[in-house]
Amino acid sequence: MTTSTDTTQRGSAPQPGGTRKNSLTAGQMPRWTWIAVAIGALVLAAGLTALLGGGSFSWTGWLIFAAVLYIVGMYVTTYAIENKRRATDGIWRNLVWAAFILALIPLVSVVWTVFANGLPTLLANPQLLWTDMGGVTGADDIATQNEGASLQGGFLHGLAGTLMITLMATIISVPIGLLTSIFLVEYSRGGWFSRSIVFFVDVMTGIPSIVAGLFAFAVVELFITTFIGESPRHVQMIKMGLTAAIALSVLMIPVVVRSTEEMLRVVPNELREASYALGVRKWRTIFKVVLPTAMSGIASGITLAIARVTGETAPILVTAGYAAATNWNPFSEWMTALPVFIYRQLMNPTAPAAGLPSADRAWAAALVLIVIVMLLNLAARIIAKAFAPKKTGR
Amino acid sequence: MSKRIEAIDLNVYYGNFLAVEGVNINIEPRSVTAFIGPSGCGKTTFLRTINRMHEVLPGARAEGRLLLDGEDVYATGVDPVTVRTQVGMVFQRPNPFPTMSIRDNILAGHKLNGARMSRSEADGIVEKSLRGANLWNEVKDRLDKPGSGLSGGQQQRLCIARSIAVEPDVILMDEPCSALDPISTLAIEDLINELKNEFTVVIVTHNMQQAARVADKTAFFNIAGTGKPGKLIEYDETSVIFNNPANKQTEDYVSGRFG
Ligand SMILES: Nc1ncnc2c1ncn2[C@@H]1O[C@H](COP(=O)(O)OP(=O)(O)OP(=O)(O)O)[C@@H](O)[C@H]1O
Ligand SMILES: [Mg+2]
């Protein structure tokens, strides 16, 4: 008796790979539900937009309607087929995605606009990269706009200026920032002095960049009028690449301090102790154990700080002025940075009557600037990878 | 070389908190001494005073005398760095330098101090230290790979090799096996037995069998209650501590009747 019951039961047991439904997945929506809801939302939204638009069809309106309908539709469907818990879970997921896409729109559209406007000009006139505006007059631009002559000039001076000014700013701010954060993390024991440094660094983070420019101007002015001279010729000297670099350092230092501080704090204390226990002095421990361990984060923090100041316009305009010719010397004469070049070309075109060639140059310069910033960000990632402590050795 | 450690009326503080009180102990050179006792009784704290690692923590200080072969480590004018070159330390968790290869980890004590040495000299130190830590055969083919790519037990032996590479007189080990499997633990215990031919070894452990296996002498620390200072209760031959202790607290602890 018992044996036969056993057999029947075993016979009805689910076969591996059989078609019986898994009870764990019962009551779930089919996988294609979201596609169906999406199509429904798109179609419905198209109808709504056409109806409300009264003749003219708005693409943006259509997408917004579709997104809202999709989110609501998914919620209702999930609620009906599954349960409330899953529906709530789904609506939050969809909202997070919507927020993400919304955040991405400005970025993508900026990059798109700059590429669409700048790339054709740059491809047609690659000489923009290696000529400056020296000798280019309004007549040239009028000829370009009206008679189809080739685009004159370029922004080599802007590239040179951006390069030199940023380089100088980096040379000034990296040692100061690094040493400050080393002091904060390794030497200070949380006294009033270190707390006030942290406070002022935080305040500096929020300084408007134009104020940094004015500050740098004032400092250099003070220095030059006190130690060199007060004649108009000397006052002329204030505006130079170095002054702009000082202004940018004011903006960079707090970023470097904060990111380095963060990185130094995550270096495990065990490593410092391991080094001390080998009889290694504190400064050697810091420079040979702590800094190398944190190097990837520090380097990428610095690169991001550089990327951040490369795009500054106002502080450079008030400190380095604007020149038409290439100047590689940051210690004398006015210097143009790329953002300043863009600003000037758009606001004061070379030929006031024919602004298009200037606008073309500005867009091309904007493209180059964006590419530089992107490359710097990429460099930050590569540096972080390259310096990162090796985790496995097999 | 190997040195005698003597503590005379040593009090150890964290700020105003007296963590360890009145330690008097005399540790023979070329011997293994185990520190045992309940958690929080100050074994680590006392161990770290021996190589002046204790004062690395803000506010931490020690009072009293601690002699290395008769010379007071806490005398005025003594450079803690000099003390630490003579007294090496192995920590509870293996902590190889993550940016360095196995080879550079061994040479860290020399290189971080800016010592210059020839390639062959360095190779000699690396091989000798790794052999000393019973790790040579396992890593000799990948000396240039990162030290953090080793297993936990190997990493701990790498840390031991790193500390013997600077040829200290004393090696302190704070629960060196607590993160390791029984096999690696055995490897390290064997190693400790060999190390005592050259060094004075002090080991903190929560494992009584381990203390019984490796230590010549054992010190039992205890604490009267939370917030009270830890004290050295009894210090004697390991066999006496485990079989015939003089103190009731020791007997309760080693027989598991503690608390
Ligand atoms: N950094 C510190 N600051 C303040 N007090 C501390 C610090 N480290 C340890 N203590 C205190 O000192 C006392 C002794 O601690 P210690 O770490 O030496 O104990 P232990 O015997 O090593 O314990 P365990 O066996 O758990 O490692 C404890 O009361 C502990 O709370
Ligand atoms: Mg401990």
Side-chain angles (χ1 to χ4, degrees):
Chain A
M1 258 317 263
T2 15
T3 346
S4 72
T5 352
D6 265 352
T7 334
T8 19
Q9 270 176 358
R10 212 171 294 138
S12 69
Q15 299 294 311
T19 46
R20 215 196 90 152
K21 266 205 148 179
N22 183 346
S23 69
L24 294 174
T25 60
Q28 283 187 5
M29 303 184 294
R31 277 166 179 274
W32 44 263
T33 315
W34 72 271
I35 303 180
V37 175
I39 293 174
L42 283 172
V43 172
L44 208 62
L48 262 174
T49 327
L51 214 71
L52 292 175
S56 67
F57 189 83
S58 150
W59 288 95
T60 341
W62 177 51
L63 285 177
I64 293 173
F65 268 130
V68 173
L69 283 174
Y70 173 75
I71 292 175
V72 174
M74 273 312 277
Y75 182 77
V76 174
T77 325
T78 322
Y79 200 132
I81 305 182
E82 296 188 342
N83 53 36
K84 187 170 176 202
R85 186 172 52 81
R86 281 178 152 271
T88 321
D89 180 43
I91 200 168
W92 280 111
R93 188 171 54 235
N94 287 333
L95 284 176
V96 168
W97 270 100
F100 168 68
I101 292 170
L102 220 56
L104 221 57
I105 288 173
L107 178 69
V108 171
S109 71
V110 163
V111 172
W112 173 256
T113 323
V114 172
F115 269 79
N117 284 307
L119 202 57
T121 318
L122 198 61
L123 288 180
N125 307 284
Q127 85 281 358
L128 284 173
L129 286 171
W130 57 82
T131 35
D132 55 34
M133 294 302 283
V136 180
T137 59
D140 293 318
D141 274 7
I142 293 174
T144 308
Q145 184 165 339
N146 299 340
E147 292 148 36
S150 65
L151 190 61
Q152 296 297 306
F155 42 78
L156 175 68
H157 55 318
L159 278 174
T162 292
L163 198 73
M164 293 317 292
I165 292 173
T166 321
L167 188 73
M168 295 294 296
T170 312
I171 292 174
I172 298 172
S173 47
V174 166
I176 297 181
L178 266 186
L179 292 177
T180 308
S181 46
I182 288 176
F183 170 78
L184 287 178
V185 177
E186 306 288 338
Y187 286 94
S188 81
R189 291 193 160 171
W192 64 269
F193 186 60
S194 64
R195 267 182 283 135
S196 49
I197 291 181
V198 171
F199 175 75
F200 284 117
V201 165
D202 283 348
V203 171
M204 267 171 88
T205 322
I207 284 186
S209 56
I210 184 78
V211 177
L214 293 176
F215 163 78
F217 190 91
V219 166
V220 176
E221 180 180 35
L222 185 72
F223 184 84
I224 286 183
T225 48
T226 338
F227 294 106
I228 303 182
E230 292 189 41
S231 71
R233 188 173 57 83
H234 291 129
V235 174
Q236 271 284 302
M237 289 168 58
I238 300 170
K239 281 204 174 186
M240 58 177 168
L242 181 65
T243 318
I246 293 174
L248 293 192
S249 318
V250 174
L251 300 172
M252 259 181 95
I253 287 171
V255 183
V256 174
V257 171
R258 277 318 217 165
S259 63
T260 309
E261 191 194 345
E262 222 64 49
M263 288 302 131
L264 291 181
R265 285 203 197 281
V266 300
V267 173
N269 232 347
E270 302 168 4
L271 294 182
R272 297 185 181 91
E273 296 207 331
S275 178
Y276 295 151
L278 289 170
V280 180
R281 283 188 193 284
K282 185 163 184 168
W283 69 271
R284 281 188 180 276
T285 301
I286 293 170
F287 281 93
K288 299 211 165 166
V289 175
V290 179
L291 280 185
T293 309
M295 191 44 89
S296 75
I298 294 175
S300 63
I302 289 173
T303 322
L304 290 178
I306 296 174
R308 152 102 180 61
V309 298
T310 330
E312 284 297 344
T313 315
I316 302 184
L317 189 58
V318 298
T319 48
Y322 178 77
T326 313
N327 171 16
W328 287 98
N329 182 0
F331 298 103
S332 83
E333 298 299 318
W334 291 20
M335 242 184 175
T336 309
L338 267 188
V340 179
F341 173 79
I342 297 169
Y343 170 76
R344 291 286 302 210
Q345 284 287 296
L346 287 176
M347 301 312 286
N348 310 321
T350 314
L356 275 184
S358 282
D360 281 346
R361 279 191 288 262
W363 279 113
L367 173 64
V368 171
L369 189 61
I370 282 203
V371 169
I372 290 177
V373 172
M374 280 178 169
L375 286 179
L376 281 172
N377 279 281
L378 197 71
R381 286 171 168 269
I382 294 173
I383 289 170
K385 264 250 159 55
F387 279 112
K390 319 285 176 288
K391 279 289 176 262
T392 52
R394 271 170 269 242
Chain B
M1 270 264 286
S2 168
K3 284 190 173 172
R4 170 191 304 276
I5 307 166
E6 262 174 290
I8 300 163
D9 290 332
L10 196 75
N11 295 330
V12 193
Y13 295 84
Y14 288 102
N16 290 324
F17 172 60
L18 177 58
V20 179
E21 187 180 23
V23 177
N24 284 289
I25 198 169
N26 184 346
I27 297 172
E28 296 289 327
R30 291 179 208 283
S31 70
V32 178
T33 304
F35 289 177
I36 60 170
S39 195
C41 66
K43 306 179 294 294
T44 301
T45 306
F46 175 58
L47 195 74
R48 287 167 59 96
T49 53
I50 300 178
N51 66 344
R52 295 195 61 170
M53 279 297 285
H54 178 63
E55 65 207 45
V56 170
L57 302 168
R61 68 204 155 84
E63 278 171 7
R65 301 213 297 155
L66 200 135
L67 311 181
L68 268 189
D69 261 3
E71 293 174 318
D72 190 356
V73 185
Y74 283 96
T76 40
V78 173
D79 185 351
V81 173
T82 321
V83 177
R84 288 177 204 144
T85 56
Q86 296 177 10
V87 185
M89 184 160 206
V90 176
F91 296 82
Q92 183 167 354
R93 289 218 326 217
N95 52 1
F97 297 119
T99 48
M100 297 183 196
S101 65
I102 293 173
R103 191 187 139 87
D104 288 343
N105 260 289
I106 302 293
L107 295 173
H110 298 276
K111 280 200 171 167
L112 292 182
N113 270 324
R116 298 196 173 277
M117 57 178 87
S118 67
R119 174 96 201 171
S120 58
E121 211 179 328
D123 287 342
I125 293 175
V126 170
E127 178 165 355
K128 180 162 175 267
S129 316
L130 282 172
R131 281 195 193 281
N134 287 334
L135 192 61
W136 173 251
N137 287 326
E138 287 159 74
V139 302
K140 62 170 184 262
D141 300 322
R142 45 173 167 151
L143 291 177
D144 292 319
K145 298 280 161 54
S148 37
L150 297 173
S151 80
Q154 290 171 330
Q155 286 187 23
Q156 192 62 299
R157 277 179 282 152
L158 178 66
C159 292
I160 295 175
R162 179 175 69 186
S163 54
I164 59 184
V166 292
E167 301 188 335
D169 304 309
V170 177
I171 295 186
L172 311 174
M173 300 190 182
D174 191 358
E175 302 184 41
C177 304
S178 63
L180 305 183
D181 70 299
I183 310 258
S184 309
T185 303
L186 268 187
I188 289 185
E189 286 178 8
D190 287 345
L191 176 58
I192 292 172
N193 262 322
E194 290 167 26
L195 289 179
K196 80 169 171 187
N197 298 326
E198 275 182 79
F199 308 101
T200 309
V201 181
V202 182
I203 171 174
V204 173
T205 177
H206 276 292
N207 182 331
M208 313 261 201
Q209 285 81 20
Q210 183 170 60
R213 280 193 300 264
V214 299
D216 302 309
K217 284 189 147 192
T218 297
F220 171 64
F221 289 78
N222 203 355
I223 186 171
T226 36
K228 301 257 172 53
K231 285 185 179 153
L232 174 61
I233 303 297
E234 190 170 352
Y235 173 55
D236 213 324
E237 297 292 329
T238 301
S239 55
V240 176
I241 293 282
F242 283 101
N243 300 322
N244 196 9
N247 191 294
K248 178 80 171 59
Q249 291 178 38
T250 317
E251 191 183 339
D252 286 351
Y253 186 77
V254 298
S255 60
R257 262 178 284 140
F258 182 74

